[in-house]
Amino acid sequence: GENVEQHPSTLSVQEGDSAVIKCTYSDSASNYFPWYKQELGKGPQLIIDIRSNVGEKKDQRIAVTLNKTAKHFSLHITETQPEDSAVYFCAASRYNTDKLIFGTGTRLQVFP
Amino acid sequence: GAGVSQSPSNKVTEKGKDVELRCDPISGHTALYWYRQSLGQGLEFLIYFQGNSAPDKSGLPSDRFSAERTGGSVSTLTIQRTQQEDSAVYLCASSQQGGNTIYFGEGSWLTVV
Protein backbone atom coordinates (compact mmCIF):
# COMPACT_ATOMS: atom_id res chain seq x y z
CA GLY A 1 0.00 0.00 0.00
CA GLU A 2 0.86 3.66 -0.10
CA ASN A 3 3.42 5.09 2.31
CA VAL A 4 3.99 8.82 2.71
CA GLU A 5 7.04 10.26 4.42
CA GLN A 6 7.22 13.90 5.50
CA HIS A 7 10.13 16.10 6.55
CA PRO A 8 10.98 17.96 8.66
CA SER A 9 8.92 17.06 11.73
CA THR A 10 9.44 20.55 13.15
CA LEU A 11 10.33 23.82 11.45
CA SER A 12 10.95 27.21 13.02
CA VAL A 13 11.24 30.34 10.89
CA GLN A 14 11.31 34.07 11.41
CA GLU A 15 8.29 36.04 10.29
CA GLY A 16 8.70 37.01 6.64
CA ASP A 17 10.96 34.08 5.79
CA SER A 18 9.94 31.16 3.59
CA ALA A 19 9.11 27.66 4.79
CA VAL A 20 9.40 24.45 2.78
CA ILE A 21 7.98 21.06 3.73
CA LYS A 22 8.76 17.97 1.69
CA CYS A 23 6.98 14.66 1.21
CA THR A 24 7.72 11.47 -0.68
CA TYR A 25 5.28 8.73 -1.60
CA SER A 26 5.68 5.13 -2.64
CA ASP A 27 2.67 4.27 -4.82
CA SER A 28 3.31 5.34 -8.41
CA ALA A 29 -0.46 5.12 -9.04
CA SER A 30 -1.17 7.97 -6.62
CA ASN A 31 -2.28 11.07 -8.47
CA TYR A 32 -3.87 13.39 -5.93
CA PHE A 33 -1.77 15.25 -3.36
CA PRO A 34 -3.47 17.60 -0.87
CA TRP A 35 -1.97 19.58 1.99
CA TYR A 36 -3.83 20.14 5.23
CA LYS A 37 -3.28 22.64 8.04
CA GLN A 38 -4.29 21.67 11.55
CA GLU A 39 -4.53 24.20 14.35
CA LEU A 40 -4.59 23.14 17.97
CA GLY A 41 -7.82 21.42 18.94
CA LYS A 42 -9.28 21.57 15.44
CA GLY A 43 -9.72 19.23 12.51
CA PRO A 44 -7.40 19.42 9.49
CA GLN A 45 -8.32 21.98 6.86
CA LEU A 46 -7.36 21.73 3.20
CA ILE A 47 -5.10 24.59 2.12
CA ILE A 48 -4.01 23.50 -1.35
CA ASP A 49 -3.93 20.40 -3.52
CA ILE A 50 -2.34 19.26 -6.74
CA ARG A 51 -3.19 16.56 -9.23
CA SER A 52 -0.68 14.62 -11.26
CA ASN A 53 -1.39 16.39 -14.52
CA VAL A 54 0.30 19.57 -13.24
CA GLY A 55 3.73 20.19 -11.79
CA GLU A 56 3.07 23.31 -9.77
CA LYS A 57 0.14 25.19 -8.30
CA LYS A 58 0.10 28.49 -6.47
CA ASP A 59 -2.44 30.25 -4.29
CA GLN A 60 -1.23 33.60 -2.93
CA ARG A 61 1.58 32.84 -0.46
CA ILE A 62 1.24 29.08 -0.77
CA ALA A 63 2.56 26.89 -3.58
CA VAL A 64 2.90 23.18 -4.12
CA THR A 65 5.27 21.42 -6.53
CA LEU A 66 5.09 17.84 -7.72
CA ASN A 67 7.77 15.64 -9.24
CA LYS A 68 6.09 12.41 -10.32
CA THR A 69 9.29 10.84 -11.60
CA ALA A 70 10.95 11.20 -8.22
CA LYS A 71 7.66 10.67 -6.34
CA HIS A 72 7.96 13.71 -4.19
CA PHE A 73 6.00 16.89 -3.62
CA SER A 74 6.61 20.00 -1.56
CA LEU A 75 4.73 22.82 0.13
CA HIS A 76 6.20 26.31 -0.05
CA ILE A 77 4.96 29.14 2.15
CA THR A 78 6.42 32.57 1.41
CA GLU A 79 6.36 35.68 3.62
CA THR A 80 5.38 33.61 6.63
CA GLN A 81 3.21 35.14 9.32
CA PRO A 82 2.62 34.09 12.96
CA GLU A 83 -0.85 32.83 12.02
CA ASP A 84 0.80 30.28 9.71
CA SER A 85 1.96 28.48 12.87
CA ALA A 86 0.25 25.07 12.88
CA VAL A 87 0.82 21.43 12.01
CA TYR A 88 0.88 20.72 8.28
CA PHE A 89 0.11 17.33 6.78
CA CYS A 90 0.72 16.11 3.26
CA ALA A 91 -1.31 13.23 1.85
CA ALA A 92 -1.59 11.09 -1.25
CA SER A 93 -4.30 9.02 -2.84
CA ARG A 94 -5.40 7.37 -6.02
CA TYR A 95 -7.99 9.65 -7.53
CA ASN A 96 -10.68 7.06 -7.94
CA THR A 97 -10.47 5.48 -4.51
CA ASP A 98 -10.17 8.69 -2.48
CA LYS A 99 -8.56 7.05 0.54
CA LEU A 100 -5.95 9.54 1.71
CA ILE A 101 -2.73 8.31 3.27
CA PHE A 102 -1.14 11.03 5.39
CA GLY A 103 2.41 11.96 6.23
CA THR A 104 3.41 12.27 9.88
CA GLY A 105 3.06 16.05 9.98
CA THR A 106 5.30 19.10 10.33
CA ARG A 107 4.93 21.49 13.22
CA LEU A 108 5.65 24.97 11.85
CA GLN A 109 6.41 27.81 14.23
CA VAL A 110 6.70 31.34 12.89
CA PHE A 111 8.34 33.74 15.31
CA PRO A 112 7.51 37.45 15.14
CA GLY B 1 -24.17 24.83 4.69
CA ALA B 2 -22.96 22.97 7.74
CA GLY B 3 -19.67 21.14 7.77
CA VAL B 4 -18.94 17.65 9.04
CA SER B 5 -20.43 17.31 12.50
CA GLN B 6 -19.09 14.93 15.13
CA SER B 7 -20.33 14.01 18.58
CA PRO B 8 -19.43 13.86 21.33
CA SER B 9 -16.58 16.35 21.12
CA ASN B 10 -15.07 14.85 24.26
CA LYS B 11 -15.63 11.48 25.89
CA VAL B 12 -14.02 10.01 28.98
CA THR B 13 -14.72 6.34 29.53
CA GLU B 14 -13.51 3.57 31.79
CA LYS B 15 -11.34 0.82 30.43
CA GLY B 16 -13.47 -2.09 29.26
CA LYS B 17 -16.54 -0.03 28.41
CA ASP B 18 -17.95 0.33 24.90
CA VAL B 19 -18.14 3.74 23.20
CA GLU B 20 -19.97 5.06 20.17
CA LEU B 21 -18.81 8.06 18.17
CA ARG B 22 -21.13 9.72 15.70
CA CYS B 23 -20.43 11.50 12.41
CA ASP B 24 -22.88 13.52 10.35
CA PRO B 25 -21.27 14.24 6.96
CA ILE B 26 -21.87 17.21 4.73
CA SER B 27 -25.22 16.86 3.01
CA GLY B 28 -24.90 15.17 -0.37
CA HIS B 29 -21.46 13.72 0.27
CA THR B 30 -21.38 10.06 -0.64
CA ALA B 31 -17.93 9.24 0.74
CA LEU B 32 -17.23 9.09 4.49
CA TYR B 33 -13.96 8.35 6.26
CA TRP B 34 -12.80 7.71 9.80
CA TYR B 35 -9.26 8.50 10.89
CA ARG B 36 -7.54 8.28 14.27
CA GLN B 37 -4.99 10.77 15.55
CA SER B 38 -3.02 9.95 18.66
CA LEU B 39 -1.49 12.80 20.65
CA GLY B 40 1.11 14.58 18.55
CA GLN B 41 0.89 11.99 15.81
CA GLY B 42 -0.30 11.79 12.23
CA LEU B 43 -3.64 10.66 10.88
CA GLU B 44 -4.19 6.92 10.77
CA PHE B 45 -6.80 5.67 8.28
CA LEU B 46 -9.46 3.44 9.84
CA ILE B 47 -12.38 2.90 7.46
CA TYR B 48 -13.93 4.34 4.29
CA PHE B 49 -17.52 4.22 3.03
CA GLN B 50 -18.38 5.09 -0.58
CA GLY B 51 -22.05 5.04 -1.54
CA ASN B 52 -23.48 1.53 -1.57
CA SER B 53 -20.12 -0.18 -2.06
CA ALA B 54 -18.66 -2.46 0.58
CA PRO B 55 -16.64 -0.36 3.02
CA ASP B 56 -12.84 -0.43 3.03
CA LYS B 57 -12.10 -1.66 6.56
CA SER B 58 -8.41 -2.24 5.99
CA GLY B 59 -7.34 0.30 8.61
CA LEU B 60 -9.32 -0.96 11.59
CA PRO B 61 -6.71 -1.93 14.23
CA SER B 62 -8.62 -4.82 15.80
CA ASP B 63 -11.99 -6.55 15.84
CA ARG B 64 -12.97 -4.33 18.76
CA PHE B 65 -13.45 -1.55 16.21
CA SER B 66 -16.44 -1.43 13.88
CA ALA B 67 -18.34 1.20 11.96
CA GLU B 68 -21.61 1.43 10.15
CA ARG B 69 -23.26 3.97 7.95
CA THR B 70 -27.03 3.98 7.93
CA GLY B 71 -29.01 5.30 5.00
CA GLY B 72 -25.87 6.52 3.29
CA SER B 73 -25.54 9.43 5.69
CA VAL B 74 -24.77 9.30 9.42
CA SER B 75 -22.00 6.97 10.56
CA THR B 76 -21.22 5.48 13.95
CA LEU B 77 -17.80 4.23 14.98
CA THR B 78 -18.01 1.71 17.82
CA ILE B 79 -15.12 0.67 20.02
CA GLN B 80 -15.83 -2.32 22.24
CA ARG B 81 -14.01 -3.12 25.48
CA THR B 82 -11.96 0.07 25.28
CA GLN B 83 -8.27 0.02 26.16
CA GLN B 84 -6.03 2.88 27.24
CA GLU B 85 -4.23 2.78 23.90
CA ASP B 86 -7.54 3.66 22.22
CA SER B 87 -7.22 7.18 23.66
CA ALA B 88 -6.99 9.51 20.67
CA VAL B 89 -8.89 11.99 18.56
CA TYR B 90 -11.22 10.25 16.14
CA LEU B 91 -11.71 12.34 13.01
CA CYS B 92 -14.50 11.92 10.50
CA ALA B 93 -14.37 13.33 6.99
CA SER B 94 -16.59 13.36 3.92
CA SER B 95 -16.35 14.11 0.22
CA GLN B 96 -18.43 14.10 -2.90
CA GLN B 97 -18.15 11.09 -5.17
CA GLY B 98 -15.29 11.09 -7.61
CA GLY B 99 -12.18 12.10 -5.74
CA ASN B 100 -13.11 15.62 -4.72
CA THR B 101 -11.91 17.54 -1.71
CA ILE B 102 -12.15 15.77 1.65
CA TYR B 103 -13.51 17.85 4.52
CA PHE B 104 -12.81 16.98 8.14
CA GLY B 105 -14.89 17.44 11.25
CA GLU B 106 -13.46 18.78 14.48
CA GLY B 107 -13.01 15.31 15.93
CA SER B 108 -14.11 13.37 19.00
CA TRP B 109 -11.49 13.32 21.74
CA LEU B 110 -11.63 9.94 23.50
CA THR B 111 -9.87 9.35 26.79
CA VAL B 112 -9.86 5.86 28.30
CA VAL B 113 -9.03 5.81 32.01
Side-chain angles (χ1 to χ4, degrees):
Chain A
E2 176 66 278
N3 181 52
V4 178
E5 294 189 355
Q6 182 172 348
H7 302 280
S9 56
T10 60
L11 180 59
S12 297
V13 299
Q14 202 73 31
E15 182 178 1
D17 287 350
S18 296
V20 180
I21 303 170
K22 298 182 179 181
C23 288
T24 60
Y25 62 98
S26 61
D27 186 352
S28 57
S30 290
N31 51 19
Y32 175 62
F33 308 93
W35 286 87
Y36 283 82
K37 175 183 181 182
Q38 186 176 32
E39 296 177 334
L40 193 62
K42 296 192 174 183
Q45 300 234 322
L46 179 76
I47 55 171
I48 195 167
D49 58 13
I50 191 168
R51 302 185 192 275
S52 62
N53 56 339
V54 297
E56 183 173 359
K57 183 176 178 181
K58 190 172 182 180
D59 182 4
Q60 299 183 341
R61 298 186 296 108
I62 294 173
V64 58
T65 58
L66 171 65
N67 183 328
K68 283 222 76 179
T69 302
K71 291 192 281 189
H72 66 69
F73 57 112
S74 301
L75 177 71
H76 304 252
I77 306 174
T78 58
E79 300 171 30
T80 53
Q81 300 168 4
E83 52 265 36
D84 294 331
S85 297
V87 179
Y88 291 80
F89 291 96
C90 63
S93 78
R94 297 183 180 189
Y95 186 86
N96 292 332
T97 63
D98 294 348
K99 183 173 73 179
L100 283 175
I101 302 300
F102 284 83
T104 49
T106 297
R107 181 173 299 278
L108 173 65
Q109 290 183 302
V110 180
F111 293 98
Chain B
V4 177
S5 178
Q6 292 188 245
S7 61
S9 54
N10 286 283
K11 173 74 175 179
V12 180
T13 190
E14 291 181 351
K15 177 181 174 181
K17 295 284 180 68
D18 296 352
V19 295
E20 287 189 349
L21 307 175
R22 175 188 168 106
C23 174
D24 202 342
I26 294 172
S27 178
H29 281 192
T30 58
L32 186 147
Y33 317 75
W34 284 98
Y35 284 83
R36 177 168 70 175
Q37 186 174 30
S38 300
L39 188 63
Q41 301 298 310
L43 286 80
E44 175 189 6
F45 168 76
L46 297 178
I47 188 169
Y48 161 51
F49 296 89
Q50 172 59 278
N52 295 322
S53 302
D56 178 350
K57 303 180 182 180
S58 61
L60 295 178
S62 77
D63 58 8
R64 296 187 296 104
F65 288 73
S66 63
E68 62 177 20
R69 188 178 184 192
T70 54
S73 181
V74 172
S75 176
T76 302
L77 177 69
T78 301
I79 309 173
Q80 295 178 309
R81 305 180 302 281
T82 51
Q83 304 293 313
Q84 287 186 328
E85 60 262 29
D86 299 334
S87 297
V89 177
Y90 289 83
L91 290 159
C92 178
S94 71
S95 71
Q96 292 180 339
Q97 187 174 6
N100 289 315
T101 302
I102 294 174
Y103 298 89
F104 280 85
E106 297 291 282
S108 292
W109 192 294
L110 174 66
T111 303
V112 182
V113 297

mmCIF file of all heavy atoms in Angstrom, chain B residues 74-98:
data_model
loop_
_atom_site.group_PDB
_atom_site.id
_atom_site.type_symbol
_atom_site.label_atom_id
_atom_site.label_comp_id
_atom_site.label_asym_id
_atom_site.label_seq_id
_atom_site.Cartn_x
_atom_site.Cartn_y
_atom_site.Cartn_z
ATOM 1 N N VAL B 74 -25.417 9.314 8.109
ATOM 2 C CA VAL B 74 -24.767 9.298 9.417
ATOM 3 C C VAL B 74 -23.982 8.007 9.621
ATOM 4 O O VAL B 74 -24.418 6.921 9.216
ATOM 5 C CB VAL B 74 -25.816 9.462 10.535
ATOM 6 C CG1 VAL B 74 -25.196 9.258 11.907
ATOM 7 C CG2 VAL B 74 -26.468 10.831 10.441
ATOM 8 N N SER B 75 -22.824 8.137 10.248
ATOM 9 C CA SER B 75 -21.997 6.973 10.558
ATOM 10 C C SER B 75 -21.710 6.923 12.050
ATOM 11 O O SER B 75 -21.591 7.963 12.708
ATOM 12 C CB SER B 75 -20.681 7.035 9.791
ATOM 13 O OG SER B 75 -19.822 5.952 10.143
ATOM 14 N N THR B 76 -21.593 5.703 12.554
ATOM 15 C CA THR B 76 -21.222 5.483 13.952
ATOM 16 C C THR B 76 -20.005 4.584 14.007
ATOM 17 O O THR B 76 -19.989 3.509 13.401
ATOM 18 C CB THR B 76 -22.369 4.814 14.733
ATOM 19 O OG1 THR B 76 -23.525 5.644 14.652
ATOM 20 C CG2 THR B 76 -21.984 4.623 16.193
ATOM 21 N N LEU B 77 -18.994 5.039 14.718
ATOM 22 C CA LEU B 77 -17.802 4.227 14.978
ATOM 23 C C LEU B 77 -17.935 3.678 16.390
ATOM 24 O O LEU B 77 -18.139 4.447 17.345
ATOM 25 C CB LEU B 77 -16.540 5.078 14.860
ATOM 26 C CG LEU B 77 -15.204 4.383 15.185
ATOM 27 C CD1 LEU B 77 -14.862 3.332 14.124
ATOM 28 C CD2 LEU B 77 -14.067 5.406 15.286
ATOM 29 N N THR B 78 -17.864 2.361 16.528
ATOM 30 C CA THR B 78 -18.008 1.714 17.824
ATOM 31 C C THR B 78 -16.701 1.059 18.235
ATOM 32 O O THR B 78 -16.079 0.359 17.424
ATOM 33 C CB THR B 78 -19.119 0.652 17.780
ATOM 34 O OG1 THR B 78 -20.362 1.285 17.405
ATOM 35 C CG2 THR B 78 -19.299 -0.012 19.140
ATOM 36 N N ILE B 79 -16.299 1.322 19.461
ATOM 37 C CA ILE B 79 -15.121 0.666 20.022
ATOM 38 C C ILE B 79 -15.589 -0.143 21.224
ATOM 39 O O ILE B 79 -16.130 0.420 22.188
ATOM 40 C CB ILE B 79 -14.045 1.685 20.451
ATOM 41 C CG1 ILE B 79 -13.729 2.666 19.319
ATOM 42 C CG2 ILE B 79 -12.758 0.952 20.874
ATOM 43 C CD1 ILE B 79 -12.809 3.813 19.716
ATOM 44 N N GLN B 80 -15.400 -1.446 21.147
ATOM 45 C CA GLN B 80 -15.830 -2.319 22.236
ATOM 46 C C GLN B 80 -14.663 -2.569 23.193
ATOM 47 O O GLN B 80 -13.497 -2.592 22.792
ATOM 48 C CB GLN B 80 -16.326 -3.648 21.669
ATOM 49 C CG GLN B 80 -17.576 -3.509 20.803
ATOM 50 C CD GLN B 80 -18.006 -4.841 20.212
ATOM 51 O OE1 GLN B 80 -17.204 -5.543 19.608
ATOM 52 N NE2 GLN B 80 -19.266 -5.191 20.407
ATOM 53 N N ARG B 81 -15.004 -2.757 24.451
ATOM 54 C CA ARG B 81 -14.008 -3.118 25.478
ATOM 55 C C ARG B 81 -12.776 -2.206 25.364
ATOM 56 O O ARG B 81 -11.650 -2.667 25.146
ATOM 57 C CB ARG B 81 -13.607 -4.584 25.321
ATOM 58 C CG ARG B 81 -14.782 -5.544 25.354
ATOM 59 C CD ARG B 81 -14.344 -7.008 25.200
ATOM 60 N NE ARG B 81 -13.606 -7.274 23.986
ATOM 61 C CZ ARG B 81 -14.137 -7.432 22.792
ATOM 62 N NH1 ARG B 81 -15.454 -7.328 22.617
ATOM 63 N NH2 ARG B 81 -13.377 -7.688 21.740
ATOM 64 N N THR B 82 -13.018 -0.919 25.511
ATOM 65 C CA THR B 82 -11.964 0.069 25.280
ATOM 66 C C THR B 82 -10.710 -0.200 26.117
ATOM 67 O O THR B 82 -10.794 -0.666 27.268
ATOM 68 C CB THR B 82 -12.457 1.485 25.572
ATOM 69 O OG1 THR B 82 -13.070 1.521 26.866
ATOM 70 C CG2 THR B 82 -13.453 1.949 24.523
ATOM 71 N N GLN B 83 -9.580 0.122 25.522
ATOM 72 C CA GLN B 83 -8.273 0.015 26.164
ATOM 73 C C GLN B 83 -7.650 1.406 26.232
ATOM 74 O O GLN B 83 -8.029 2.301 25.475
ATOM 75 C CB GLN B 83 -7.366 -0.917 25.370
ATOM 76 C CG GLN B 83 -7.942 -2.302 25.146
ATOM 77 C CD GLN B 83 -8.067 -3.079 26.428
ATOM 78 O OE1 GLN B 83 -7.131 -3.112 27.228
ATOM 79 N NE2 GLN B 83 -9.220 -3.711 26.648
ATOM 80 N N GLN B 84 -6.663 1.574 27.100
ATOM 81 C CA GLN B 84 -6.033 2.883 27.237
ATOM 82 C C GLN B 84 -5.383 3.337 25.936
ATOM 83 O O GLN B 84 -5.379 4.532 25.636
ATOM 84 C CB GLN B 84 -5.023 2.866 28.385
ATOM 85 C CG GLN B 84 -5.695 2.828 29.751
ATOM 86 C CD GLN B 84 -4.713 2.947 30.895
ATOM 87 O OE1 GLN B 84 -3.574 2.500 30.794
ATOM 88 N NE2 GLN B 84 -5.161 3.541 31.974
ATOM 89 N N GLU B 85 -4.885 2.403 25.157
ATOM 90 C CA GLU B 85 -4.231 2.781 23.902
ATOM 91 C C GLU B 85 -5.222 3.263 22.840
ATOM 92 O O GLU B 85 -4.798 3.752 21.782
ATOM 93 C CB GLU B 85 -3.406 1.618 23.335
ATOM 94 C CG GLU B 85 -4.188 0.370 23.034
ATOM 95 C CD GLU B 85 -4.094 -0.652 24.155
ATOM 96 O OE1 GLU B 85 -3.933 -0.253 25.328
ATOM 97 O OE2 GLU B 85 -4.186 -1.852 23.841
ATOM 98 N N ASP B 86 -6.527 3.138 23.137
ATOM 99 C CA ASP B 86 -7.544 3.665 22.223
ATOM 100 C C ASP B 86 -7.704 5.177 22.391
ATOM 101 O O ASP B 86 -8.380 5.820 21.577
ATOM 102 C CB ASP B 86 -8.898 2.995 22.459
ATOM 103 C CG ASP B 86 -8.856 1.493 22.230
ATOM 104 O OD1 ASP B 86 -7.989 1.028 21.454
ATOM 105 O OD2 ASP B 86 -9.679 0.784 22.839
ATOM 106 N N SER B 87 -7.116 5.739 23.424
ATOM 107 C CA SER B 87 -7.221 7.178 23.658
ATOM 108 C C SER B 87 -6.607 7.937 22.481
ATOM 109 O O SER B 87 -5.435 7.726 22.140
ATOM 110 C CB SER B 87 -6.496 7.570 24.951
ATOM 111 O OG SER B 87 -7.092 6.956 26.072
ATOM 112 N N ALA B 88 -7.405 8.787 21.874
ATOM 113 C CA ALA B 88 -6.989 9.508 20.674
ATOM 114 C C ALA B 88 -8.112 10.439 20.255
ATOM 115 O O ALA B 88 -9.197 10.421 20.838
ATOM 116 C CB ALA B 88 -6.666 8.539 19.534
ATOM 117 N N VAL B 89 -7.828 11.227 19.210
ATOM 118 C CA VAL B 89 -8.894 11.993 18.564
ATOM 119 C C VAL B 89 -9.360 11.189 17.361
ATOM 120 O O VAL B 89 -8.547 10.757 16.539
ATOM 121 C CB VAL B 89 -8.402 13.381 18.111
ATOM 122 C CG1 VAL B 89 -9.518 14.122 17.384
ATOM 123 C CG2 VAL B 89 -7.914 14.181 19.302
ATOM 124 N N TYR B 90 -10.656 10.984 17.261
ATOM 125 C CA TYR B 90 -11.219 10.248 16.135
ATOM 126 C C TYR B 90 -11.850 11.273 15.196
ATOM 127 O O TYR B 90 -12.786 11.987 15.563
ATOM 128 C CB TYR B 90 -12.220 9.207 16.624
ATOM 129 C CG TYR B 90 -11.499 8.078 17.322
ATOM 130 C CD1 TYR B 90 -11.122 8.197 18.662
ATOM 131 C CD2 TYR B 90 -11.138 6.921 16.638
ATOM 132 C CE1 TYR B 90 -10.419 7.192 19.303
ATOM 133 C CE2 TYR B 90 -10.425 5.906 17.264
ATOM 134 C CZ TYR B 90 -10.062 6.050 18.596
ATOM 135 O OH TYR B 90 -9.356 5.049 19.218
ATOM 136 N N LEU B 91 -11.303 11.336 13.994
ATOM 137 C CA LEU B 91 -11.714 12.337 13.010
ATOM 138 C C LEU B 91 -12.557 11.693 11.922
ATOM 139 O O LEU B 91 -12.200 10.646 11.386
ATOM 140 C CB LEU B 91 -10.488 12.991 12.378
ATOM 141 C CG LEU B 91 -9.672 13.908 13.293
ATOM 142 C CD1 LEU B 91 -8.259 14.068 12.764
ATOM 143 C CD2 LEU B 91 -10.351 15.265 13.415
ATOM 144 N N CYS B 92 -13.642 12.340 11.596
ATOM 145 C CA CYS B 92 -14.497 11.917 10.504
ATOM 146 C C CYS B 92 -14.349 12.922 9.365
ATOM 147 O O CYS B 92 -14.117 14.122 9.614
ATOM 148 C CB CYS B 92 -15.945 11.847 10.966
ATOM 149 S SG CYS B 92 -17.108 11.382 9.673
ATOM 150 N N ALA B 93 -14.464 12.450 8.149
ATOM 151 C CA ALA B 93 -14.370 13.329 6.985
ATOM 152 C C ALA B 93 -15.345 12.853 5.923
ATOM 153 O O ALA B 93 -15.776 11.696 5.928
ATOM 154 C CB ALA B 93 -12.949 13.342 6.437
ATOM 155 N N SER B 94 -15.706 13.749 5.002
ATOM 156 C CA SER B 94 -16.588 13.356 3.919
ATOM 157 C C SER B 94 -16.183 14.062 2.630
ATOM 158 O O SER B 94 -15.497 15.086 2.651
ATOM 159 C CB SER B 94 -18.048 13.646 4.258
ATOM 160 O OG SER B 94 -18.322 15.032 4.265
ATOM 161 N N SER B 95 -16.615 13.498 1.517
ATOM 162 C CA SER B 95 -16.355 14.114 0.217
ATOM 163 C C SER B 95 -17.436 13.704 -0.763
ATOM 164 O O SER B 95 -18.148 12.717 -0.556
ATOM 165 C CB SER B 95 -14.981 13.698 -0.328
ATOM 166 O OG SER B 95 -14.978 12.341 -0.724
ATOM 167 N N GLN B 96 -17.520 14.473 -1.829
ATOM 168 C CA GLN B 96 -18.431 14.098 -2.904
ATOM 169 C C GLN B 96 -17.815 12.942 -3.681
ATOM 170 O O GLN B 96 -16.598 12.725 -3.645
ATOM 171 C CB GLN B 96 -18.658 15.291 -3.825
ATOM 172 C CG GLN B 96 -19.435 16.407 -3.174
ATOM 173 C CD GLN B 96 -19.648 17.578 -4.115
ATOM 174 O OE1 GLN B 96 -18.925 17.748 -5.082
ATOM 175 N NE2 GLN B 96 -20.660 18.381 -3.832
ATOM 176 N N GLN B 97 -18.639 12.226 -4.403
ATOM 177 C CA GLN B 97 -18.152 11.092 -5.173
ATOM 178 C C GLN B 97 -17.197 11.567 -6.253
ATOM 179 O O GLN B 97 -17.377 12.633 -6.829
ATOM 180 C CB GLN B 97 -19.331 10.370 -5.817
ATOM 181 C CG GLN B 97 -18.958 9.076 -6.517
ATOM 182 C CD GLN B 97 -20.171 8.333 -7.005
ATOM 183 O OE1 GLN B 97 -21.289 8.830 -6.921
ATOM 184 N NE2 GLN B 97 -19.979 7.131 -7.501
ATOM 185 N N GLY B 98 -16.149 10.800 -6.483
ATOM 186 C CA GLY B 98 -15.291 11.094 -7.613
ATOM 187 C C GLY B 98 -13.968 11.741 -7.279
ATOM 188 O O GLY B 98 -13.336 12.332 -8.143
#
